[in-house]
Amino acid sequence: MSGPYLIRGSVSLPEAELNWRFSRSSGPGGQHVNTSDSQVELRFDLTRTEALPPVWKERALERLAGRLVDGVIVVRSSEHRSQWRNRETAAVRLAALLAEATAPPPKPRRPTRIPRGINERRLREKKQRADTKRGRSGRDWG
């Protein structure tokens, strides 16, 4: 593994709280596929973790409620042939998921008014365009 995976700022995933499980990947393969456990399942207990600040933890539990099973988030990876690369992928994916889930909510949009001059200019140009198109009809050429 290439060290701690940062979530945001100085907060990172603690290696002690990550539970790894390995199994055989599905799909086609050669002679090697039947003997190696290259699929990775990474479990992170979000309810019991002490790595996240309480506000972030609350936010993550709320936003990831649909993905949690008894407060545990599960990430699987099997796209690479090697277990090591699948471990890397799963850990990066978990860190990205937690970073997105713990991000502060966006600022509320302040409604703005369109200036009257802009609206009047739009209507004036619209009328001019309509007059131009009306002038193209051949009814006066009799």
Side-chain angles (χ1 to χ4, degrees):
M1 297 280 310
S2 64
Y5 291 94
L6 288 179
I7 296 173
R8 203 170 59 250
S10 62
V11 179
S12 61
L13 287 173
E15 190 65 40
E17 293 184 14
L18 300 178
N19 295 325
W20 300 94
R21 215 173 89 193
F22 308 102
S23 59
R24 294 191 182 131
S25 289
S26 61
Q31 297 164 342
H32 178 70
V33 77
N34 298 325
T35 59
S36 63
D37 293 339
S38 60
Q39 179 175 329
V40 172
E41 185 178 282
L42 173 59
R43 294 170 168 269
F44 182 69
D45 195 343
L46 200 54
T47 53
R48 294 197 184 118
T49 186
E50 296 298 320
L52 298 177
V55 179
W56 287 19
K57 193 169 160 180
E58 222 173 273
R59 221 181 273 156
L61 284 168
E62 185 182 310
R63 290 183 184 168
L64 296 173
R67 275 193 75 150
L68 297 176
V69 178
D70 298 329
V72 177
I73 189 159
V74 180
V75 176
R76 282 189 190 87
S77 176
S78 63
E79 59 249 20
H80 301 292
R81 282 179 162 185
S82 78
Q83 185 188 96
W84 184 80
R85 285 183 66 191
N86 281 331
R87 282 179 66 134
E88 289 280 311
T89 306
V92 167
R93 211 180 286 160
L94 177 64
L97 196 66
L98 287 173
E100 191 178 322
T102 59
K107 289 183 179 178
R109 182 187 172 278
R110 281 182 44 209
T112 56
R113 281 190 57 208
I114 299 171
R116 197 172 73 207
I118 290 177
N119 207 21
E120 286 174 357
R121 185 174 358 133
R122 181 182 63 85
L123 293 172
R124 190 169 54 247
E125 287 171 1
K126 199 170 171 181
K127 197 169 288 271
Q128 283 176 350
R129 184 81 181 136
D131 290 342
T132 303
K133 287 187 172 190
R134 199 176 303 115
R136 289 181 187 157
S137 66
R139 55 195 160 121
D140 292 342
W141 289 4

